[in-house]
């Protein structure tokens, strides 16, 4: 019949793991089949069938939600944001956390629907309640940055969610916590280094650069210039611009120091062979006045405690040249809709 054929089709779509879960009650336990059949009551058979039907329905619901979410992602990639939003919302209503998160992104970015931050937060909160790591991060960020008059309870909730997301290896949350613990309200140098290291090992180049700054300045770790150079080089190799600029400045300073030392050595030799007051005076002025590059290096080192973060992780606002702008006061850009494919 058509109903039996449709049942067979739905079963073949179930993953092996789900099939095992679905039919585990029918596995042979090693007892005699005839004796087992004699022991079964009609009521227990009915309960097993109802249980199997319920599980089948759950699998079917999940499959539909997954398919709707995938259709939404493909529609978004093709620029059809209206269809994408409709698919995400339909799957979100079925309780699928990835679709709930994607619906929140649509509301926040105004893709396929009018911008509405309050609704976006509602969907983030729904997805976060199911343990969706990126939703945990976005909802926590909203509590800390956008909610006026954030009280102690909201702050603690936000920090808890950020830690959960960081433990789930979400580098955005790890990087955010790393910088957050350099601020006065949450100051903890050791925790800052801990989370920056986690984010760096998770592939975040800006956190790798910031970790180098910590070693350069002795913030949260023992000062170690060689270790700082290692982190700068790793970050620069991935295209991180602040790290590349730092390495360039360090190399220029080393070259300038060598030239200065060589010039001083030659001046001393000249002065010792034919001393005169005018040459000694010029040499004294030369040694006392720092070069422009040395002044620039001092300016860089004085600003090292500020750890700017790239917009890609959505945690900090400014570039390396604007340390006066605190990241907590900024409106942070989101990643593009293309990045929501994995939920």
């Amino acid at each position: 019949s058509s109903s039996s054929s449709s049942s067979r089709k739905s079963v073949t779509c179930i993953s092996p793991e789900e099939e095992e879960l679905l039919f585990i009650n029918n596995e042979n336990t090693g007892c005699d089949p005839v004796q087992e059949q004699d022991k079964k009551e009609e009521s227990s058979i009915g309960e097993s069938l109802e249980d199997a039907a319920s599980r089948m329905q759950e699998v079917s619901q999940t499959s539909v939600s997954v398919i709707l979410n995938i259709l939404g992602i493909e529609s978004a990639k093709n620029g059809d944001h209206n269809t994408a939003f409709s698919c995400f919302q339909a799957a979100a209503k079925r309780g699928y956390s990835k679709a709930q998160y994607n619906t929140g992104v649509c509301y926040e970015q105004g893709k396929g629907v009018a911008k509405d931050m309050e609704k976006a937060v509602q969907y983030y909160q729904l997805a976060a309640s199911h343990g969706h790591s990126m939703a945990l991060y976005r909802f926590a960020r909203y509590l800390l940055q956008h909610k006026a008059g954030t009280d102690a309870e909201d702050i603690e909730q936000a920090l808890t969610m950020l830690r959960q997301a960081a433990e789930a290896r979400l580098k955005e949350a790890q990087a955010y916590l790393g910088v957050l613990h350099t601020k006065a309200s949450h100051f903890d140098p050791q925790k800052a280094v801990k989370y920056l290291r986690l984010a760096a090992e998770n592939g975040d180049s800006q956190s790798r650069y910031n970790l180098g700054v910590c070693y350069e300045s002795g913030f949260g770790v023992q000062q170690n210039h060689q270790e700082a150079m290692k982190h700068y080089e790793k970050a620069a190799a991935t295209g991180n611009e602040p790290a590349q600029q730092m390495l360039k400045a360090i190399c220029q300073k080393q070259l300038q120091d060598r030239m200065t030392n060589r010039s001083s050595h030659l001046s001393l030799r000249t002065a010792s062979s034919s001393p005169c007051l005018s040459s000694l005076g010029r040499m004294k002025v030369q040694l006392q006045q720092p070069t422009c590059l040395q002044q620039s290096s001092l300016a860089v080192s004085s600003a090292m405690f500020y750890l700017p973060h790239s917009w890609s992780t959505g945690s900090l606002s400014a570039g390396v040249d604007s340390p006066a702008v605190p990241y907590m006061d900024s409106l942070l850009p989101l990643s593009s809709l293309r990045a929501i494919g994995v939920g």
Side-chain angles (χ1 to χ4, degrees), residues 145-179:
Q145 296 182 347
H146 300 290
K147 189 176 180 181
T150 301
D151 56 26
E153 185 176 349
D154 284 338
I155 291 175
E156 186 57 36
Q157 182 186 7
L159 291 175
T160 299
M161 289 190 294
L162 284 172
R163 286 191 287 266
Q164 289 176 355
E167 289 171 3
R169 300 192 74 253
L170 184 71
K171 66 181 180 181
E172 289 86 350
Q174 293 167 343
Y176 192 99
L177 282 170
V179 179

Side-chain angles (χ1 to χ4, degrees), residues 199-232:
E201 292 174 353
N202 205 7
D204 187 71
S205 65
Q206 188 66 27
S207 292
R208 178 71 69 184
Y209 166 74
N210 289 343
L211 192 58
V213 173
C214 291
Y215 275 104
E216 181 78 15
S217 58
F219 180 81
V221 291
Q222 186 174 359
Q223 191 175 34
N224 188 325
H225 295 288
Q226 290 184 344
E227 190 68 19
M229 283 292 294
K230 291 179 183 179
H231 291 292
Y232 291 150

Side-chain angles (χ1 to χ4, degrees), residues 206-267:
Q206 188 66 27
S207 292
R208 178 71 69 184
Y209 166 74
N210 289 343
L211 192 58
V213 173
C214 291
Y215 275 104
E216 181 78 15
S217 58
F219 180 81
V221 291
Q222 186 174 359
Q223 191 175 34
N224 188 325
H225 295 288
Q226 290 184 344
E227 190 68 19
M229 283 292 294
K230 291 179 183 179
H231 291 292
Y232 291 150
E233 289 171 354
K234 286 182 179 180
T238 62
N240 183 269
E241 188 173 345
Q244 292 172 346
Q245 292 176 350
M246 179 66 77
L247 287 177
K248 183 179 179 180
I250 290 172
C251 291
Q252 287 178 343
K253 184 177 185 304
Q254 290 176 345
L255 180 61
Q256 183 68 31
D257 287 345
R258 290 176 184 175
M259 293 177 64
T260 301
N261 291 336
R262 183 179 179 183
S263 176
S264 299
H265 180 67
L266 291 175
S267 298

Side-chain angles (χ1 to χ4, degrees), residues 14 23 54 93 97 150 153 163 189 201 218 225 235-236 247 288 305 338:
I14 302 170
F23 300 113
S54 176
K93 289 179 179 178
S97 63
T150 301
E153 185 176 349
R163 286 191 287 266
E201 292 174 353
H225 295 288
L247 287 177
Q288 285 179 344
F305 275 131
R338 293 191 298 273

Side-chain angles (χ1 to χ4, degrees), residues 10-11 13-24 55-56 58-60 62-63 66:
S10 64
V11 170
C13 291
I14 302 170
S15 69
E17 293 80 5
E18 290 168 334
E19 286 179 349
E20 183 180 358
L21 178 65
L22 192 62
F23 300 113
I24 192 169
R55 292 180 181 180
M56 180 69 78
E58 290 177 4
V59 170
S60 176
T62 302
S63 299
V66 172

